Amino acid sequence: MSNDNASANNNQNPAAKLWGGRFSEATDAFVERFTASVMFDQRMALEDIQGSLAHAQMLSEVGVLTADEFAQIEGGLKDIAAEIQAGEFPWSVELEDVHMNIEARLTQRIGATGKKLHTGRSRNDQVATDIRLWLRNRIDLIAAELTRLQTGLVDLAEKEADTIMPGFTHLQSAQPVTFGHHLLAWNEMLTRDYERLIDCRKRVNRSPLGAAALAGTSYPINRARTAELLGFDAPTENSLDSVSDRDFAIEFCAFGALLLTHLSRASEELVLWTSSQFNFIDLPDRFCTGSSIMPQKKNPDVPELVRGKTGRMNGHLIALLTLMKSQPLAYNKDNQEDKEPLFDAADTVLDCLRAFADMAPALKPKKENMLAAAAKGFSTATDLADYLVRKGVAFRDAHEIVGQSVAFAIEKDCDLADLSLAELQKFSDAIGDDVFEVLTLEGSVAARDHIGGTAPNQVRAACGRARALIAAR
């Protein structure tokens, strides 16, 4: 802003502000910009109009507004909504926020009747209502994308129920599993995320409208009616808490932080699996980029960026927790700082889910490489120990026998399955020629034949249960 404009703003009539009646001097130009929120809260414009329409309808029904006044307000607000959607609305920093911009425009369009819209409410309950409406809409979009991602994962898991890969602990080869089983582990994380999201929505879906500034209003309002008109489950119970509560925003960011943590874990595995060192997965070109200097490179940028955005999401959660930690009741200007973290949190979650929902069904496992990797690292050692236990050997003794067998195989530079029966029997005479059935990778995964196990038939059954849960949403 130029100095001339700043001077002009400093000299404006304070009464021109919609709240300026008690002020004797104008707001400083810098302070005006510093305290304004319209640059970012205009994202809630349609929700603000939605809330105003419900409020005006209720005021008409209880007799505070006449039918004609309501009709004027309704028509004016709908015209303003059309202006906003067409990108033609004249936003003004001088009018501070989305609420004052819309109210001033309404009065400009329909005259003095527009000034009656704010009867029985405050910007405090108005903004609390707008945020909840906005977040509820985003939650519904996010729930749909989460469902799309899970559907893609379950479909791929069923397809790859027999595809053997190494399972890891400490990033060391541990036991063979199937790729389908691994994908279902991702799906389990996302199922918990979905449950948290829907649970969060229940607490978002309460109407603070009518709490006014902090104590309610003396007008004969019907809060249950505005809650009904706006699709809320019920009005909030306490006016002080209604205008100052941001728990729902914090809870949403906590959901987002956990979701992004899960997507980040999956992203890390995709980054590893697409490397030449692992070479387990082919990630389609459309989810990758190249190098400006190394022509051979195919970089897994989408999972890397999702992994990186987890830090951004965690930051938003801490920002909101810190914002609220020392606020006395009721509303404080601090709460203006809730919107940018919340808006970006919702955008980040939605974008990451869309990326993953597009990418996950397109993953192509390199089955031969996975199988070869699973054959390394003595991944069937536990199967040998279990075999010995079934033959009557105590587990701790079986553990010792297998450890000695592994040490011998390391000396010979071969896998347990490559040892001869005579070589294995050096360590225990309980070992018979049926031992090789459990030392195969296929036998190992098939033996885990219980709910939650990696046996292919259990993976397919788990896919059916997962698909039924998704369908019941």
Side-chain angles (χ1 to χ4, degrees):
M1 182 180 291
S2 70
N3 288 334
D4 289 343
N5 286 338
S7 176
N9 280 340
N10 276 331
N11 293 326
Q12 68 178 310
N13 177 6
K17 298 283 188 184
L18 297 187
W19 44 258
R22 73 79 80 218
F23 286 77
S24 59
E25 64 177 355
T27 308
D28 179 83
F30 166 74
V31 171
E32 190 166 68
R33 295 194 307 278
F34 183 69
T35 59
S37 60
V38 68
M39 300 81 69
F40 49 84
D41 68 14
Q42 62 182 262
R43 285 190 68 167
M44 303 187 299
L46 296 181
E47 287 80 10
D48 190 75
I49 289 173
Q50 182 185 2
S52 290
L53 284 168
H55 181 67
Q57 182 173 336
M58 179 274 296
L59 291 179
S60 174
E61 291 173 357
V62 300
V64 173
L65 293 176
T66 67
D68 180 62
E69 288 170 335
F70 170 62
Q72 291 181 56
I73 289 171
E74 181 181 38
L77 288 173
K78 288 182 177 179
D79 288 343
I80 291 170
E83 277 187 321
I84 292 168
Q85 290 173 313
E88 298 170 353
F89 187 86
W91 297 106
S92 168
V93 171
E94 287 75 17
L95 289 170
E96 301 176 39
D97 56 35
V98 61
H99 324 294
M100 304 298 270
N101 268 266
I102 289 174
E103 185 178 335
R105 182 63 171 160
L106 179 66
T107 301
Q108 186 181 52
R109 293 182 70 94
I110 70 172
T113 301
K115 298 180 180 181
K116 296 187 176 185
L117 172 61
H118 209 52
T119 305
R121 73 174 182 185
S122 160
R123 278 189 293 179
N124 294 354
D125 62 335
Q126 188 178 0
V127 68
T129 302
D130 290 0
I131 296 172
R132 287 172 182 266
L133 289 171
W134 184 91
L135 184 56
R136 186 180 69 187
N137 291 340
R138 293 314 180 276
I139 285 174
D140 291 344
L141 292 174
I142 289 166
E145 285 300 305
L146 195 43
T147 295
R148 186 166 73 91
L149 169 55
Q150 290 189 262
T151 300
L153 283 175
V154 172
D155 288 347
L156 185 58
E158 189 169 53
K159 181 181 176 183
E160 304 298 339
D162 294 290
T163 301
I164 293 175
M165 67 176 292
F168 299 94
T169 61
H170 307 278
L171 208 55
Q172 306 294 314
S173 184
Q175 292 177 302
V177 297
T178 68
F179 185 45
H181 190 58
H182 197 113
L183 292 173
L184 289 182
W186 292 359
N187 183 65
E188 285 297 299
M189 300 177 197
L190 297 175
T191 296
R192 295 192 296 272
D193 291 325
Y194 185 88
E195 291 170 354
R196 274 185 283 269
L197 178 66
I198 298 306
D199 201 48
C200 173
R201 191 188 190 281
K202 295 175 185 176
R203 281 174 287 282
V204 170
N205 207 35
R206 296 286 188 274
S207 175
L209 193 57
L214 76 161
T217 177
S218 59
Y219 292 96
I221 62 170
N222 184 343
R223 293 191 63 210
R225 178 60 173 148
T226 49
E228 177 188 15
L229 289 169
L230 292 171
F232 287 117
D233 292 334
T236 51
E237 286 288 337
N238 181 280
S239 60
L240 288 166
D241 182 63
S242 298
V243 298
S244 59
D245 168 42
R246 295 298 184 269
D247 289 3
F248 61 92
I250 295 171
E251 189 175 356
F252 173 80
C253 287
F255 148 79
L258 268 171
L259 171 68
L260 264 290
T261 295
H262 293 151
L263 293 182
S264 181
R265 294 180 70 185
S267 294
E268 174 71 6
E269 291 184 319
L270 289 176
V271 171
L272 288 172
W273 292 347
T274 56
S275 70
S276 58
Q277 288 72 25
F278 278 78
N279 201 22
F280 285 0
I281 290 288
D282 180 48
L283 195 60
D285 289 353
R286 62 185 179 276
F287 301 108
C288 302
T289 63
S291 165
S292 63
I293 190 172
M294 295 170 284
Q296 83 280 10
K297 292 294 293 297
K298 179 179 175 180
N299 299 325
D301 278 14
V302 169
E304 286 180 350
L305 193 54
V306 170
R307 185 177 60 183
K309 285 183 181 292
T310 306
R312 181 188 191 117
M313 190 69 232
N314 292 347
H316 292 325
L317 172 59
I318 296 301
L320 289 181
L321 284 167
T322 306
L323 175 71
M324 297 304 300
K325 74 175 184 64
S326 298
Q327 284 199 40
L329 292 172
Y331 180 85
N332 300 276
K333 188 68 169 177
D334 312 46
N335 282 353
Q336 183 169 295
E337 289 295 304
D338 64 352
K339 294 168 196 64
E340 289 177 288
L342 180 61
F343 291 164
D344 189 72
D347 290 346
T348 299
V349 166
L350 193 55
D351 287 349
C352 289
L353 281 173
R354 283 175 174 167
F356 248 83
D358 288 343
M359 180 175 61
L363 299 176
K364 295 179 180 178
K366 297 183 178 181
K367 299 182 183 184
E368 298 80 7
N369 294 347
M370 285 182 165
L371 186 66
K376 298 176 182 177
F378 309 101
S379 64
T380 59
T382 304
D383 296 272
L384 178 56
D386 292 341
Y387 167 88
L388 288 167
V389 169
R390 288 193 295 271
K391 295 287 187 176
V393 179
F395 180 78
R396 283 302 168 200
D397 292 335
H399 191 285
E400 177 69 17
I401 292 166
V402 174
Q404 293 170 355
S405 303
V406 168
F408 180 73
I410 290 172
E411 286 181 14
K412 290 198 64 175
D413 193 25
C414 68
D415 194 64
L416 286 173
D418 298 322
L419 296 176
S420 69
L421 178 60
E423 287 172 325
L424 287 168
Q425 286 176 336
K426 289 179 182 180
F427 304 102
S428 173
D429 56 11
I431 297 176
D433 57 8
D434 59 346
V435 70
F436 296 103
E437 295 175 14
V438 304
L439 291 181
T440 66
L441 297 174
E442 291 79 8
S444 176
V445 296
R448 271 72 183 169
D449 192 11
H450 54 76
I451 187 168
T454 192
N457 63 302
Q458 290 291 343
V459 171
R460 293 186 182 92
C463 287
R465 292 191 297 272
R467 196 170 282 115
L469 277 177
I470 292 170
R473 292 176 180 173

